[in-house]
Amino acid sequence: AVFNGCINLEKVELAALTTLGPGTFGNCPKLSTVILPNLEKITGGFGGENSCFYNCPSLKEIYLPKVKSFKFRKYVISEIRA
């Protein structure tokens, strides 16, 4: 996964990203904001460390304006604390 384990990553804004795959932002403990204005598809992993935002305890804001439907499953986004 591209950003997995980036422990100092705090904010992501990627206009070119259209698909978010398994483990992309896993283990990014300081990540608080994700802005993906052209994202159209989210695919989760098989749970645990393969989920998109596994172990991102600081995540507070996700902006995905083009995602038309989002099936919230524990394997897509997990380990996020409010």
Side-chain angles (χ1 to χ4, degrees):
V2 180
F3 297 100
N4 194 302
C6 293
I7 61 171
N8 292 315
L9 184 65
E10 296 179 10
K11 180 178 179 180
V12 172
E13 186 169 353
L14 298 170
L17 191 67
T18 59
T19 302
L20 186 61
T24 304
F25 297 105
N27 298 304
C28 297
K30 294 182 182 179
L31 182 63
S32 63
T33 304
V34 176
I35 300 170
L36 306 172
N38 293 308
L39 188 76
E40 296 175 356
K41 184 176 181 181
I42 298 173
T43 60
F46 298 103
E49 294 181 12
N50 288 324
S51 61
C52 297
F53 296 102
Y54 175 77
N55 195 23
C56 295
S58 300
L59 191 58
K60 303 279 188 245
E61 180 181 359
I62 302 175
Y63 180 66
L64 313 168
K66 289 193 175 185
V67 175
K68 292 182 175 50
S69 64
F70 184 100
K71 289 186 179 181
F72 185 82
R73 300 180 318 160
K74 66 180 180 178
Y75 300 130
V76 176
I77 298 176
S78 65
E79 302 298 323
I80 297 176
R81 297 180 191 103

